[in-house]
Amino acid sequence: MASITARPAEVLGISPQLQRTLTWGRGREMAKHQAITTETGMPVYLCKPRSAWQRGANENTNRLLRQYLPKDADLRTFSQADLDAIAHELNHRPRKTHGYRTPAEIYAGLLNSGDALTA
């Protein structure tokens, strides 16, 4: 289950109140999505083909990732430390869609809110 985007150990690191479901695009990286569900107990839903509106955040994240990892990049040439550094940069990069807050700030806010599912 080699995937830059969904390693069960990292999914399990998500706060339990936020571990409900995971929705993903239909790329090759999710070919073993059943293993993620088995290891985490979290159902994985795949977006419908030709339903771009279901993949907005996924497509934006892919665009951002391409700044670090070209489409034809061999991920085997990157160490886990390299991939973790890329993830850290992206998680601490302000986003217009979040009112110029970072994903890390949004996540922290959810964790600190009284009801993480409605924040």
Side-chain angles (χ1 to χ4, degrees), residues 7-57:
R7 293 188 321 235
E10 290 193 359
V11 172
L12 288 173
I14 296 171
S15 173
Q17 71 254 36
L18 298 176
Q19 280 187 27
R20 302 285 192 229
T21 64
L22 180 63
T23 302
W24 228 280
R26 301 182 68 85
R28 289 187 314 240
E29 69 276 6
M30 292 309 296
K32 297 183 179 180
H33 65 88
Q34 292 171 332
I36 293 172
T37 295
T38 299
E39 287 193 44
T40 64
M42 186 176 6
V44 174
Y45 296 92
L46 301 177
C47 297
K48 293 178 182 173
R50 295 174 296 283
S51 299
W53 61 90
Q54 294 179 347
R55 299 187 311 269

Side-chain angles (χ1 to χ4, degrees), residues 84-105:
D84 290 344
I86 291 168
H88 184 270
E89 278 193 45
L90 290 175
N91 286 328
H92 291 83
R93 181 177 176 167
R95 307 277 173 84
K96 182 178 180 179
T97 190
H98 294 315
Y100 296 99
R101 293 179 292 165
T102 69
E105 290 170 326

Side-chain angles (χ1 to χ4, degrees), residues 45-96:
Y45 296 92
L46 301 177
C47 297
K48 293 178 182 173
R50 295 174 296 283
S51 299
W53 61 90
Q54 294 179 347
R55 299 187 311 269
N58 179 264
E59 293 300 322
N60 184 55
T61 301
N62 286 346
R63 183 182 57 78
L64 295 174
L65 278 170
R66 295 289 173 240
Q67 295 173 7
Y68 302 91
L69 305 169
K71 189 166 183 83
D72 296 327
D74 182 351
L75 296 182
R76 295 173 293 190
T77 64
F78 294 88
S79 69
Q80 188 59 53
D82 294 333
L83 299 176
D84 290 344
I86 291 168
H88 184 270
E89 278 193 45
L90 290 175
N91 286 328
H92 291 83
R93 181 177 176 167
R95 307 277 173 84
K96 182 178 180 179

